[in-house]
Amino acid sequence: MMEANQEKDLHKHWEEKQQPLFDGKDLIFSLASIVVAYFTVQGVAQDRGGFWTTALAVGFTGSIYTYARVRGVKMSWFHYGYLAYVFALSLSFSLFDNTILMGTNSLLLFFSCMYWVLVVAGTRKENQLSSYVFFDFIDGFLVRPFKNVTAGLSIYRLVGKKHKNVKLVILGVVISFPVAAIVISLLSSADSMFERLIHSVADIVSVGFAEQFMILIIAIPMGMYLFLCVYRNLEKSPVSQHVIPTVKGPDVFFLTVLVIFISIYLLFFAAAIMGYIEFRNGTTIYTLSAYAREGFFQLLAVSLINVCIFSLIKLFSHSSKGIKISLSMIGIETLALIILGFAKMQVYIEAFGLTPLRFNTSWFMVVLAICVCVFIASLWKSFKYLRAIVLIVSMSVLFMSYRNTGNSIVSYNYEKYQQGELSELDISIFYMVGVEGVSTAVKAYEETNDTEDKAALEGYLQMMQQQINSSNISNLQRSRSAEQIKKTIG
């Protein structure tokens, strides 16, 4: 009760104390936030990417960095460490298309930028990446920005009091606008040359004006929200501290659940081994494709269910030795399920080649297997396993962003086709990977003597040429691809 009253008094004291008169630096940053929001919305509306994404990320973090330094925030090595990751991930957009990642890197870049705000402001619950990361996001971007919103939005009125010239300039523009419109209309009637000049200017201004106006309407509240996120976090306004439940259940219950699942998986593995022996001996009706495809996604789903079971029991049990051993067995069986699913996928890939989906599922299973190993290790040695998992996932996405995976996929298929292990060169895969497959397509086009393959590859290259020329996306890979296509087919 006493702690609750103290927290209430702290909130009251803070609200009484924090009625700031915003100064020039706050006004400038709020305008910069609106500008960043404007270009972000414009980029989404016009389907931009590449250099545009990198520039937005640099502009976003750069404006926050400058504002934080002006506000007296001291930067340490871990501030710059998080910033380096954001910059490295954003730079990949200027180098590669990364169609294969299907927006995963864009989503991670967004959350990385927002998390960097919490790092700079120092408003994370444990001042580090911890199991409270979800609550840190809620507090930082849902609770704090909307505390005392009216005070935050009064920035322009308050600055107007302090900077009378700014207020007078805005007032002069507002008053003169309708009078100027009447004067221009009269002058246009008085001189035909002036009328043509005004019509030319009006035509230029009207092109896309409605679209830009709508973008601005959306960008203003977004920019103010961004400003309030940064401002309120830097102010470190207090919020109710979240506590992860520490309720522990009886171990007998959890052991019963674990024994049931352990037994099911042991029975499954015995049947799977017998099925594999039958397949290798040719005593089954399954073809290679049917055997490789059978049950893959089910195995993946069961593996994810096991991860959930593992996490919940680890959280709510007393972590006795019996629980640790049982959870370790579940973890090992989950690894076995992942390996079995991965092996099935590789058999399918060897028979029919790579596609973006087959590659992504293989990559996901590798990352999942590593995370399961971290889960198992955390049973026997105490460490921040959630931080390790976030690091593994983040670095794997960063690695994939610099890998040019689309070209690797079509290159693999082309090599298998040349070696006679694939019966045909599937051109549809080139279209799936987009611009990323241009370099391999150019190589195949120059090397092949098959007229059908050559015609199909030329059609793909022509399509990519049109796509590059008509698209708003600009990056280094597209520039090089355009040069390669021009040299190959003109």
Side-chain angles (χ1 to χ4, degrees), residues 172-184:
V173 171
V174 171
I175 292 176
S176 63
F177 185 79
V179 180
I182 295 172
V183 170
I184 290 172

Side-chain angles (χ1 to χ4, degrees), residues 186-417:
L186 293 172
L187 291 175
S188 298
S189 302
D191 185 85
S192 59
M193 180 61 72
F194 184 73
E195 183 181 16
R196 289 198 298 270
L197 176 64
I198 293 299
H199 279 302
S200 299
V201 173
D203 289 339
I204 294 172
V205 172
S206 63
V207 174
F209 177 77
E211 180 184 358
Q212 298 303 316
F213 180 74
M214 288 302 300
I215 290 174
L216 182 61
I217 293 299
I218 298 172
I220 289 175
M222 283 183 60
M224 288 308 301
Y225 168 74
L226 172 61
F227 165 74
L228 290 175
C229 281
V230 179
Y231 180 82
R232 292 303 182 195
N233 277 283
L234 287 175
E235 287 294 322
K236 297 181 175 60
S237 58
V239 296
S240 300
Q241 294 296 333
H242 303 283
V243 178
I244 295 178
T246 56
V247 178
K248 301 294 183 179
D251 281 3
V252 174
F253 167 75
F254 294 120
L255 281 172
T256 303
V257 173
L258 290 172
V259 168
I260 290 172
F261 281 98
I262 289 171
S263 302
I264 292 172
Y265 295 138
L266 288 175
L267 184 62
F268 170 80
F269 288 129
I273 292 171
M274 292 173 60
Y276 177 75
I277 294 173
E278 284 186 358
F279 174 75
R280 298 301 295 181
N281 293 335
T283 58
T284 180
I285 60 173
Y286 284 116
T287 62
L288 176 64
S289 62
Y291 177 77
R293 188 171 56 242
E294 183 195 36
F296 167 76
F297 288 105
Q298 290 87 339
L299 291 174
L300 193 58
V302 170
S303 299
L304 293 174
I305 290 172
N306 282 357
V307 170
C308 294
I309 293 173
F310 187 103
S311 302
L312 291 174
I313 293 181
K314 185 177 186 300
L315 179 64
F316 293 108
S317 69
H318 291 90
S319 297
S320 63
K321 190 172 182 180
I323 290 289
K324 289 181 178 179
I325 293 173
S326 299
L327 284 176
S328 297
M329 291 184 66
I330 283 287
I332 293 170
E333 288 179 330
T334 303
L335 284 175
L337 290 171
I338 294 171
I339 292 170
L340 180 59
F342 184 82
K344 281 178 172 282
M345 179 55 69
Q346 300 318 299
V347 170
Y348 199 73
I349 289 171
E350 288 179 8
F352 301 100
L354 267 173
T355 65
L357 179 61
R358 293 166 197 167
F359 181 89
N360 283 334
T361 49
S362 299
W363 168 50
F364 175 75
M365 283 188 288
V366 171
V367 175
L368 183 61
I370 296 173
C371 292
V372 171
C373 291
V374 172
F375 275 127
I376 296 173
S378 69
L379 291 171
W380 303 98
K381 184 175 177 60
S382 179
F383 64 94
K384 300 287 185 180
Y385 66 91
L386 182 62
R387 181 195 299 175
I389 289 172
V390 171
L391 181 63
I392 290 167
V393 173
S394 300
M395 295 310 294
S396 67
V397 173
L398 182 62
F399 171 76
M400 291 292 294
S401 297
Y402 281 87
R403 193 178 181 275
N404 195 12
T405 305
N407 187 64
S408 299
I409 290 172
V410 293
S411 178
Y412 173 89
N413 292 340
Y414 177 59
E415 289 177 6
K416 292 292 184 181
Y417 175 65

